[in-house]
């Protein structure tokens, strides 16, 4: 098995059942089965999901694994005080001795925005502001600046993506998960390789199983 990832979003039918610790146990075993990357989702208000902080979950998982790359998928930057976030990510980097990848996005759920007292309609605008600060502090971080640009990514979920080329152009990676219907992945492939040789971008693009 060569660099095969799992996207961990514990969506459950019975929200009375906790899957949090079960997933940590499962992923510890998955590493032994050859899986190399674990992508951890987070939502604050979706009652079907257990993981509210991918950073907290990643810290627990890093302590239970030895080689797997733990990927935060993704941090909705509008939810975070960026200076504090950077310090938390530095701790995570040190805990895992660099075994992390950091995903970022504007966020998606209106209920999460409401919980954070954020105008959901201004997520994009706020994301752009936060991203500028995020990139600047990463560059000046004693630890995080050791990560390659490919260690930073965002998810590619749109059926017919139209704007993610900016990520690739800036050197970031993109992740397509199969909770996007498998028939849509060909659209992602066509989009990402448009006007770019496949050997230049193949290492920047990941498909994960979930």
């Amino acid at each position: 098995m060569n660099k095969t990832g799992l996207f961990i979003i514990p969506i459950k039918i019975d929200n009375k059942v906790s899957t949090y610790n079960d997933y940590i146990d499962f992923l510890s075993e998955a590493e032994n089965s050859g899986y190399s990357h674990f992508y951890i989702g987070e939502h604050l208000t979706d009652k079907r999901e257990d993981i509210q902080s991918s950073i907290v979950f990643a810290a627990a998982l890093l302590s239970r694994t030895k080689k797997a790359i733990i990927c935060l998928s993704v941090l909705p930057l509008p939810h975070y005080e960026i200076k504090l976030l950077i310090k938390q990510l530095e701790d995570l980097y040190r805990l895992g001795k660099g075994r992390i990848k950091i995903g970022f996005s504007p966020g998606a759920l209106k209920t999460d925005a409401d919980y954070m007292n954020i105008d959901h309609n201004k997520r994009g605008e706020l994301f752009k502001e936060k991203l500028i600060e995020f990139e600047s502090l990463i560059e000046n971080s004693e630890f995080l600046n050791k990560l390659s640009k490919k260690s930073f990514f965002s998810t590619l979920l749109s059926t017919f993506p139209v704007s993610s080329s900016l990520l690739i152009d800036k050197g970031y990676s993109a992740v397509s998960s199969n909770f996007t219907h498998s028939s849509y992945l060909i659209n992602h492939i066509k989009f990402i390789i448009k006007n770019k040789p496949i050997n230049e971008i193949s290492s920047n693009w990941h498909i994960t199983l979930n």
Side-chain angles (χ1 to χ4, degrees), residues 101 147-153 171-173 200 203-204 206:
K101 288 181 181 289
L147 295 171
S148 72
K149 204 68 174 289
K150 294 178 182 178
S151 294
F152 298 88
F153 66 93
Y172 294 124
S173 300
E200 287 186 11
S203 63
N204 291 45
H206 312 268

Side-chain angles (χ1 to χ4, degrees), residues 19-32 38 57 60-61 64-65:
T19 57
Y20 198 96
N21 290 296
D22 291 340
Y23 266 77
I24 292 177
D25 293 340
F26 168 74
L27 293 173
S28 299
E29 292 300 321
E31 181 185 43
N32 296 331
F38 301 136
F57 191 92
L61 190 55
R64 294 276 299 273
T65 54

Side-chain angles (χ1 to χ4, degrees), residues 16-57:
K16 296 178 182 179
V17 177
S18 175
T19 57
Y20 198 96
N21 290 296
D22 291 340
Y23 266 77
I24 292 177
D25 293 340
F26 168 74
L27 293 173
S28 299
E29 292 300 321
E31 181 185 43
N32 296 331
S33 298
Y35 287 95
S36 60
H37 291 66
F38 301 136
Y39 294 82
I40 306 166
E42 71 171 54
H43 284 125
L44 298 174
T45 58
D46 191 334
K47 298 300 182 181
R48 299 171 300 169
E49 299 184 27
D50 280 343
I51 300 176
Q52 299 174 114
S53 169
S54 58
I55 293 175
V56 171
F57 191 92

Side-chain angles (χ1 to χ4, degrees), residues 123-141:
R123 273 191 183 277
E125 179 182 336
L126 185 55
F127 172 70
K128 290 178 181 178
E129 295 174 3
K130 297 271 189 175
L131 181 58
I132 292 172
E133 183 181 11
F134 182 74
E135 290 176 317
S136 175
L137 291 174
I138 290 288
E139 184 177 348
N140 291 288
S141 168

Side-chain angles (χ1 to χ4, degrees), residues 5 26 40-41 52 59 67 77 100 110 114 127-128 138 144-145 151 156 158 171 183 185 188-189 191 195 203:
F26 168 74
I40 306 166
Q52 299 174 114
K67 296 181 180 180
L77 294 187
I100 62 171
K110 184 179 184 301
D114 292 343
F127 172 70
K128 290 178 181 178
I138 290 288
L144 302 178
N145 66 6
S151 294
L156 187 58
S158 172
S183 65
L185 291 178
H188 292 192
I189 294 170
F191 178 76
N195 300 321
S203 63

